[in-house]
Amino acid sequence: MEDSCNERLDFGKMGYGCKHYRRRCRIRAPCCNEVFDCRHCHNEATSSLHNVFDRHELVRNDVKQVICSVCDTEQPVARVCTNCGVNMGEYFCEVCKFYDDDLDKGQFHCDDCGICRVGGNENFFHCNRCGNFPARLRTFTFLPSLFGSCYSVSLRNNHSCVENSMRHHCPICYEIEETIMPDDLRYKKVWILCNDCNDTTEVFFHIIGQKCRHCESYNTRMIAPPVLP
């Protein structure tokens, strides 16, 4: 009986999803009531809308409804589908409303950061004194009262703390906003790997730098587009 239950939970694992995540559910965006595979798919679609006033980004914490990709049942956010009984995500975070079937990423939720990270909880520590999120980004990363950031354990006793650095204004953000890209590059998209949260996302190219859509860091590098299995 236990084996049968486990088989049901694992049904369809890694068989559904999008170019961003392998998962067995889609999300209903509360901002526009449309269904997307993930928040990155939503943001890519809405950021290219013809009417600039219709462009917007999804607040991941606001997601309330998901649709099982196996049986197409819409339901409140949860790990297991209420209809067919499959895990809609092998990794599931109720706080971030985040699903992912690919556990090789080593996902974990940091309560102090307020977001899910990858790379294995055992490989990171949270420093409450310093951080890499400027104050003007905290409203976009939904960390209004949290401070600090996660760092590799190799830096536990080997990094320089900059106290309350999250309260400082970010010159990179201001320079990007002031530097308008030429028309032939304004809508060019590139894939990036974030050196802070290790997330892979597709963003608009900018000569100054590319911002991670997951943790909002500019510590990123361009990579080749991912190849789906």
Side-chain angles (χ1 to χ4, degrees):
M1 180 68 73
E2 183 177 347
D3 290 341
S4 176
C5 181
N6 289 335
E7 286 180 8
R8 188 58 195 166
L9 288 172
D10 289 340
F11 181 84
K13 181 178 177 180
M14 296 295 290
Y16 298 86
C18 59
K19 61 186 179 182
H20 303 106
Y21 302 110
R22 309 310 294 169
R23 54 179 16 165
R24 284 163 279 175
C25 70
R26 292 161 287 151
I27 59 174
R28 183 173 293 281
C31 45
C32 54
N33 204 37
E34 298 292 334
V35 175
F36 295 88
D37 285 309
C38 74
R39 71 181 183 92
H40 296 304
C41 290
H42 167 278
N43 293 344
E44 288 174 5
T46 57
S47 64
S48 59
L49 291 174
H50 179 71
N51 188 337
V52 295
F53 296 104
D54 290 334
R55 298 174 186 176
H56 62 281
E57 292 196 352
L58 184 149
V59 179
R60 61 178 177 268
N61 306 70
D62 289 349
V63 173
K64 298 293 189 298
Q65 296 289 116
V66 296
I67 298 91
C68 176
S69 299
V70 176
C71 69
D72 207 33
T73 300
E74 184 164 350
Q75 58 203 278
V77 169
R79 179 194 296 272
V80 178
C81 176
T82 57
N83 181 56
C84 67
V86 302
N87 260 341
M88 291 187 285
E90 195 69 12
Y91 174 85
F92 168 68
C93 177
E94 188 173 8
V95 176
C96 295
K97 315 298 172 61
F98 176 60
Y99 299 80
D100 199 345
D101 271 344
D102 185 6
L103 294 184
D104 290 340
K105 298 176 183 177
Q107 303 93 329
F108 68 97
H109 181 85
C110 176
D111 290 327
D112 292 316
C113 286
I115 61 173
C116 286
R117 296 187 176 276
V118 296
N121 188 37
E122 70 282 1
N123 298 316
F124 292 88
F125 76 100
H126 187 90
C127 178
N128 287 310
R129 245 189 114 198
C130 59
N132 57 4
F133 290 104
R136 69 185 298 275
L137 289 183
R138 280 191 285 150
T139 55
F140 295 101
T141 50
F142 319 109
L143 310 176
S145 60
L146 301 177
F147 297 91
S149 184
C150 285
Y151 294 95
S152 169
V153 292
S154 62
L155 299 175
R156 187 184 296 274
N157 300 311
N158 188 33
H159 80 284
S160 299
C161 286
V162 180
E163 190 169 0
N164 292 335
S165 64
M166 286 170 55
R167 295 181 178 178
H168 300 165
H169 294 291
C170 177
I172 297 179
C173 297
Y174 288 135
E175 187 170 0
I176 287 178
E177 289 180 353
E178 292 297 322
T179 306
I180 306 300
M181 296 298 292
D183 290 338
D184 58 334
L185 293 176
R186 188 168 299 173
Y187 302 106
K188 176 184 178 181
K189 287 190 173 183
V190 294
W191 281 90
I192 60 169
L193 174 65
C194 179
N195 296 319
D196 288 331
C197 71
N198 204 36
D199 198 19
T200 300
T201 53
E202 189 178 25
V203 299
F204 284 107
F205 171 79
H206 198 284
I207 191 69
I208 302 298
Q210 278 67 237
K211 181 169 65 174
C212 174
R213 301 185 76 159
H214 180 220
C215 72
E216 310 289 344
S217 170
Y218 282 96
N219 183 17
T220 64
R221 64 180 185 272
M222 286 189 288
I223 60 171
V227 177
L228 294 179

